[in-house]
Amino acid sequence: MSSQKLIIASFSLVMVLILSCRSVHSQLQVGFYRKSCGWAEFIVKDEVKKAVFADRGLAADLLRMHFHDCFVRGCDASVLIDSTASNTAEKDSPPNNPSLEGFDVIDNAKARLEAVCKGVVSCADIIAFAARDSIELSGGLGYDVPAGRRDGRVSLASEALTNLPPPTFNLDQLTQIFAAKGLTQEEMVTLSGSHTIGQSHCTSFSDRLYNFNGTKSQDPSLDPAYAAQLKQQCPQGSTNPDLVVPMNPSSPLIADTGYYVDVQANRGLFTSDHSLLTSTATANQVHQYARNPFLWTREFAAAMVKMGQIEVLTGSAGEIRANCRVINK
């Protein structure tokens, strides 16, 4: 083969590889339902708006739902499937039960969509739209959501345990689990900003207050005044499941960069939050976001779009569930 033909063949192979890598993502399109169900995004936003206005805390749940869905089997709405007598599903795994709420918001949106566009809009897309709407309703930056996801047919509680990062993870562990989903360390720091809204159960961080690394003392990296405040809110030995504290105490209902301000002041609630200060690169990113809110809002929107494309099912893969809680017969 001549050198010219070899170059052409090599170029063709490279183009095939590039196009094949892009093929799944290219099937997700902004305005995917424009012709098949033009009111789809409006209906979802209307249901999210009604729910969030009634309970501001639901915005954080719907945002977290998208994250927990995408990190287990990709963004396929497997987090919505109910457990059965023969299978414990993701929603009943400890990372989701009892802390994750908002499933009824998705149910309500799906019921309205089925009434006007039967069998058209996937539950996975509803979650992605609802997460975007929750950010926007909390004062964050709205963004276009590429759609066209289809719904998965498998949901296993064990996979939630192995794929969702716990609040005790250090920087290396966080970086590795995000890398396994195709997200960079920079995107991990950006997406950690989702802790700007929402609450946490005391049991998720109480070891930092009373038995850090088995030492029966508090985490020395915690700001002492903040630790004292948390101890008042979360008494030692309490097993009350209703005890919760805001993850970003200065503005727990607003999607802003107060989270990064708190982290750099050693007021990050979780070990995983504080871990963002343990390398020069990630600490610099925290400081940059704390100083420049507009930078974080832009980069957070971009990272959410990328996260929403993890291992998506498109085309003829998966299904469009009639009921988000149950796979089709």
Side-chain angles (χ1 to χ4, degrees):
M1 182 182 293
S2 69
S3 59
Q4 185 177 9
K5 289 182 178 179
L6 183 61
I7 291 171
I8 292 172
S10 299
F11 176 76
S12 299
L13 177 60
V14 169
M15 289 304 296
V16 167
L17 291 173
I18 290 173
L19 290 172
S20 65
C21 289
R22 290 179 177 174
S23 62
V24 170
H25 289 179
S26 66
Q27 291 178 54
L28 296 185
Q29 301 171 8
V30 173
F32 181 82
Y33 297 107
R34 189 174 292 120
K35 294 182 179 178
S36 59
C37 190
W39 288 93
E41 294 190 47
F42 173 83
I43 288 172
V44 175
K45 178 170 283 189
D46 187 55
E47 288 300 323
V48 172
K49 188 181 297 184
K50 287 190 295 187
V52 170
F53 284 177
D55 179 358
R56 295 285 298 277
L58 280 174
D61 283 301
L62 293 169
L63 174 56
R64 183 165 161 246
M65 185 185 294
H66 188 33
F67 170 73
H68 282 212
D69 181 41
C70 290
F71 265 57
V72 184
R73 291 188 168 267
C75 310
D76 68 345
S78 54
V79 73
L80 301 179
I81 296 174
D82 282 345
S83 296
T84 65
S86 60
N87 177 65
T88 304
E90 290 171 35
K91 63 165 52 172
D92 289 318
S93 186
N96 295 320
N97 187 8
S99 60
L100 189 60
E101 300 177 358
F103 296 108
D104 57 328
V105 182
I106 306 299
D107 290 338
N108 292 341
K110 180 62 173 175
R112 286 180 61 183
L113 288 166
E114 285 296 297
V116 296
C117 310
K118 187 176 177 63
V120 173
V121 182
S122 71
C123 302
D125 279 341
I126 294 173
I127 296 176
F129 294 146
R132 181 268 315 276
D133 299 336
S134 296
I135 295 165
E136 193 171 3
L137 289 168
S138 301
L141 182 68
Y143 54 89
D144 290 330
V145 175
R149 300 166 188 79
R150 288 170 65 84
D151 302 323
R153 296 176 55 85
V154 176
S155 183
L156 303 171
S158 58
E159 293 185 343
L161 282 170
T162 55
N163 284 278
L164 294 172
T168 55
F169 262 16
N170 62 32
L171 183 63
D172 286 343
Q173 291 169 316
L174 287 172
T175 301
Q176 289 169 13
I177 201 165
F178 274 71
K181 306 302 176 183
L183 297 166
T184 66
Q185 185 181 73
E186 291 79 6
E187 288 162 338
M188 180 272 292
V189 176
T190 304
L191 290 168
S192 294
S194 62
H195 290 175
T196 180
I197 56 175
Q199 298 179 314
S200 169
H201 288 79
C202 292
T203 51
S204 296
F205 59 86
S206 58
D207 282 356
R208 295 190 76 196
L209 302 177
Y210 303 110
N211 190 26
F212 182 64
N213 287 344
T215 61
K216 299 188 184 301
S217 60
Q218 78 182 37
D219 184 346
S221 69
L222 263 177
D223 172 68
Y226 183 48
Q229 175 188 330
L230 291 173
K231 286 180 177 180
Q232 286 186 333
Q233 297 170 296
C234 302
Q236 186 172 13
S238 174
T239 57
N240 184 350
D242 296 326
L243 281 181
V244 295
V245 301
M247 290 189 286
N248 175 24
S250 60
S251 53
L253 300 175
I254 302 173
D256 61 13
T257 54
Y259 164 78
Y260 295 102
V261 174
D262 282 341
V263 168
Q264 69 179 357
N266 294 318
R267 294 194 300 267
L269 187 61
F270 304 130
T271 298
S272 57
D273 294 324
H274 179 73
S275 75
L276 303 185
L277 298 179
T278 59
S279 85
T280 301
T282 55
N284 285 342
Q285 193 176 349
V286 167
H287 300 327
Q288 193 174 27
Y289 286 155
R291 293 192 307 267
N292 189 343
F294 296 106
L295 176 64
W296 174 73
T297 55
R298 290 198 310 270
E299 295 193 351
F300 184 76
M304 286 294 293
V305 170
K306 183 175 177 182
M307 186 193 76
Q309 300 184 15
I310 295 174
E311 300 172 30
V312 292
L313 302 173
T314 61
S316 59
E319 63 185 19
I320 305 296
R321 272 182 236 142
N323 177 343
C324 290
R325 294 174 177 265
V326 183
I327 62 173
N328 295 341
K329 299 294 185 183

